[in-house]
Amino acid sequence: MILPFFVYGTLRPGERNHDLFLRGRTLREEPGRLRDATLYEGPGYPYAVEEPGGAVSGELVTALPEAYPGLLAELDRLEEYVPGGPRNLYERVAREVVRDADGTAVRAWVYVAAPAVAARLRARGKPVERGEWRGVRS
């Protein structure tokens, strides 16, 4: 399934991983919001945790078609995501993201906190105000 990516942390424009992974490999990068998720601080990077009522700000990134397979594999490695992996910190899931420009819902890949990580964050994590990670550093 070829989908855009929704990025909300170090892959956003101006953040440390954007140029390393995305520069020159995208068609579009548009502001958007992931609904029904809360953003939590992590050690140097954030986690989106799925839960009703919240929203996470980020960018909807559409990869160049020729760059997509390699980019998907590199982002999975960056996020230490292995399909079905028991030690995943993140899970890559397809979710609806709303584009800020026109309110259109777009299906996109999102790396959200894996279940065990999400449970820990809900119990004792620190939510990020307004779901906006820019400017927040742990």
Side-chain angles (χ1 to χ4, degrees), residues 38-43 45-51 79-80 85-91 112-127:
T38 299
L39 196 63
Y40 285 86
E41 288 187 36
Y45 45 85
Y47 287 94
V49 175
E50 296 186 287
E51 48 193 32
E79 305 297 1
E80 299 180 31
R87 289 191 221 101
N88 287 346
L89 297 178
Y90 291 95
E91 295 292 330
V112 299
V117 174
R120 283 194 306 273
L121 290 168
R122 285 185 192 108
R124 54 188 178 275
K126 182 179 178 189

Side-chain angles (χ1 to χ4, degrees), residues 11 13-14 17-26 29 64 71:
L11 288 164
N17 283 325
H18 180 272
D19 287 355
L20 292 172
F21 293 91
L22 299 176
R23 183 171 299 282
R25 299 170 88 181
T26 66
E29 297 178 21
L64 290 167
L71 183 58

Side-chain angles (χ1 to χ4, degrees), residues 44-62:
Y45 45 85
Y47 287 94
V49 175
E50 296 186 287
E51 48 193 32
V56 174
S57 295
E59 266 70 40
L60 191 60
V61 175
T62 303

Side-chain angles (χ1 to χ4, degrees), residues 79 115 128 132:
E79 305 297 1
V128 175
E132 173 61 67

